[in-house]
Amino acid sequence: DDTTPGEDVASGEDRVGPEEGCTGEFFITDPEGNVVGKQPGGEGFIFDPEAFHAFKVELEPDDWEWLQANALTEEYVPCAVVFDGYRYHGAGIRFKGAWTTLQGCFDDLGNQVCPKLSMKIRFNAYDPCGRFHGARRLVFNAAVYDFSALRERIAYEVIRNAGLEGPRASHATLQINDEDPSVYVLIEAPDKEFIQERWAKDEGNLYKEVWPVYSEAWNYEAALKTNDGHPDVSDMMDFSAAVLGATEESFVEDVAPYLDTGDLAWYVAVARGIADDDGIMRFWCVGEDENGPVCINHNYYWYDDPAGLFHLFPWDMETTFYDQKDAMVMAPEWWALPESCEPVPFYIWEGIEDPGPTDDTLLVPPQCDPLLGRVVRAHPYAYLEGLADVAAAMEVSLANLPVYQARIAAAMAADPRLWHTLDEWNENVGWLGMVMEHQIAVAQDILDSH
């Protein structure tokens, strides 16, 4: 389909002149159609854990048809967003996802096989001044791999309550034109506002999914999400050189100018506590180069704070709480170097007796990573403190689980794009609760033994 997106549904004839630096394409009208200023309430209002917001997106039928026919291009089309009766004109909307969560939702003939796709609304898509209660973007996740639709929300809540940085998450319904609304996990997008709220300076580099193990700048320049117009990745290059050049004995001292290694050991414990199945510890082998297998991890960001150190925080948490099979998986001793650091099939690493046809995917044991493998060996007590914090945070979220379930139950029952039956959804929520109980128990057993 060669059709290109059309004009915005909102003409904006009555809008006031744009402020300096703005195009004027973004503006807000009240329920009577009058142009108004920004509405009260910041991003904390959007992600209020007590709220269950409803969003409606209005866009031209031709644009909606084009977007669905060209979902894999991940290009924005213009739209207006209706929220609490106010209309936010001049935004953009597109489908989003990784290889498995977007491309994997289409068969070889291009037919969509998932009942719904994740979406992103960008309020500054056409006007740099566009904001929704302070946010530039909102992410609506379809929970492709989370049939409970609660794992991601719970995981981010646990991470924050355990003392780590991470996006906020809640639930919301999203309606396109006159179609029936569907339930999504609403996620805070990592952007300038995200940085400003958490760190003193916001002009630092934000990197997505690049580990400090490369010696060439292009690897880091390609991962930049801020300052990409004038990339200076020298700090990340220095960080990488320190990691790669360190020995077991010099590691903490060499890396200290760039990273609090004790905090990273704490982070690892929290990630193990929530059974993060596809995060920083999962090194997937995706090919080979002149040096051998290329194995990468993903679902994280680094922020290079000009006022301090590098900070790591997670992203894409829907494959969390899938249950650790052995208490030793979470224990400090698990981080001892294995007999071999050669890639091994996924089914061997996981101990599956009867591997399926795709379980021969190769992984490198994370203990072999020059950064992760050393932080827990260097900071076993920080690791144990992290386990204590994540166990306490999971207790809180376990109590919140039935509250969140009840809040979205009616909307899930009415959702025309529900992934499965309502009974299956309730069963998956129950399974999530059991996994959380198991993770808490395993963490406590480890703490009791140390």
Side-chain angles (χ1 to χ4, degrees), residues 351-369:
I352 300 172
E353 294 181 359
D354 298 308
T358 63
D359 288 337
D360 58 351
T361 302
L362 296 180
L363 302 172
V364 164
Q367 302 98 311
C368 301
D369 178 68

Side-chain angles (χ1 to χ4, degrees), residues 385-405:
E385 289 173 2
L387 277 186
D389 289 335
V390 73
M394 283 192 288
E395 290 277 13
V396 173
S397 292
L398 187 59
N400 289 337
L401 183 60
V403 178
Y404 299 152
Q405 179 185 13

Side-chain angles (χ1 to χ4, degrees), residues 361-385:
T361 302
L362 296 180
L363 302 172
V364 164
Q367 302 98 311
C368 301
D369 178 68
L371 179 58
L372 285 183
R374 289 171 174 155
V375 293
V376 176
R377 295 196 291 271
H379 300 286
Y381 292 107
Y383 184 91
L384 291 172
E385 289 173 2

Side-chain angles (χ1 to χ4, degrees), residues 99-410:
W99 182 87
T100 51
T101 55
L102 183 56
Q103 289 91 336
C105 280
F106 291 85
D107 64 20
D108 293 340
L109 299 177
N111 301 307
Q112 183 178 325
V113 295
C114 298
K116 59 182 169 183
L117 305 176
S118 297
M119 307 196 78
K120 181 182 291 185
I121 296 176
R122 185 175 172 185
F123 293 90
N124 65 338
Y126 309 106
D127 185 337
C129 298
R131 298 290 186 276
F132 176 81
H133 294 273
R136 300 172 189 233
R137 296 173 292 165
L138 292 178
V139 175
F140 293 82
N141 273 3
V144 174
Y145 292 109
D146 174 16
F147 288 175
S148 75
L150 283 158
R151 278 186 168 86
E152 196 157 29
R153 176 175 183 162
I154 291 290
Y156 283 128
E157 180 179 87
V158 169
I159 286 166
R160 295 193 312 277
N161 287 342
L164 299 178
E165 296 297 347
R168 290 171 287 198
S170 59
H171 284 92
T173 59
L174 182 63
Q175 178 183 5
I176 305 295
N177 291 334
D178 293 327
E179 297 181 4
D180 291 328
S182 187
V183 178
Y184 287 81
V185 186
L186 180 63
I187 309 292
E188 180 183 15
D191 54 20
K192 278 283 189 179
E193 282 71 27
F194 180 94
I195 295 169
Q196 289 166 357
E197 188 165 324
R198 291 160 174 83
W199 293 287
K201 294 187 176 182
D202 68 354
E203 66 268 25
N205 286 345
L206 181 67
Y207 299 90
K208 184 178 182 182
E209 297 183 347
V210 63
W211 208 239
V213 292
Y214 300 101
S215 57
E216 297 182 2
W218 70 265
N219 293 283
Y220 305 114
E221 291 172 355
L224 273 176
K225 295 301 176 182
T226 59
N227 306 320
D228 52 341
H230 304 281
D232 177 4
V233 298
S234 55
D235 284 351
M236 182 62 100
M237 293 282 288
D238 292 342
F239 178 23
S240 172
V243 171
L244 295 176
T247 65
E248 197 80 9
E249 293 72 27
S250 69
F251 170 72
V252 173
E253 182 179 353
D254 290 352
V255 177
Y258 310 99
L259 179 73
D260 187 320
T261 53
D263 279 357
L264 183 55
W266 184 35
Y267 181 114
V268 169
V270 174
R272 300 314 294 174
I274 64 173
D276 187 1
D277 188 58
D278 196 19
I280 62 170
M281 270 84 68
R282 184 74 78 193
F283 287 84
W284 302 98
C285 297
V286 295
E288 290 192 10
D289 61 16
E290 64 276 8
N291 299 315
V294 176
C295 305
I296 59 174
N297 56 1
H298 66 154
N299 292 332
Y300 60 86
Y301 284 84
W302 290 102
Y303 179 59
D304 181 9
D305 184 0
L309 305 173
F310 280 84
H311 301 277
L312 180 69
F313 62 92
W315 182 245
D316 195 357
M317 297 276 95
E318 68 178 79
T319 55
T320 50
F321 295 112
Y322 274 90
D323 204 4
Q324 303 294 357
K325 299 176 178 61
D326 190 317
M328 289 301 293
V329 170
M330 291 172 62
E333 291 82 0
W334 182 87
W335 236 249
L337 280 169
E339 292 182 3
S340 172
C341 284
E342 292 298 314
V344 294
F346 178 69
Y347 72 87
I348 291 177
W349 185 249
E350 292 296 298
I352 300 172
E353 294 181 359
D354 298 308
T358 63
D359 288 337
D360 58 351
T361 302
L362 296 180
L363 302 172
V364 164
Q367 302 98 311
C368 301
D369 178 68
L371 179 58
L372 285 183
R374 289 171 174 155
V375 293
V376 176
R377 295 196 291 271
H379 300 286
Y381 292 107
Y383 184 91
L384 291 172
E385 289 173 2
L387 277 186
D389 289 335
V390 73
M394 283 192 288
E395 290 277 13
V396 173
S397 292
L398 187 59
N400 289 337
L401 183 60
V403 178
Y404 299 152
Q405 179 185 13
R407 186 172 295 148
I408 66 174

Side-chain angles (χ1 to χ4, degrees), residues 395-428:
E395 290 277 13
V396 173
S397 292
L398 187 59
N400 289 337
L401 183 60
V403 178
Y404 299 152
Q405 179 185 13
R407 186 172 295 148
I408 66 174
M412 292 292 281
D415 192 338
R417 297 182 180 86
L418 194 65
W419 286 85
H420 32 244
T421 69
L422 196 63
D423 286 343
E424 289 171 328
W425 172 66
N426 282 303
E427 289 173 3
N428 273 276

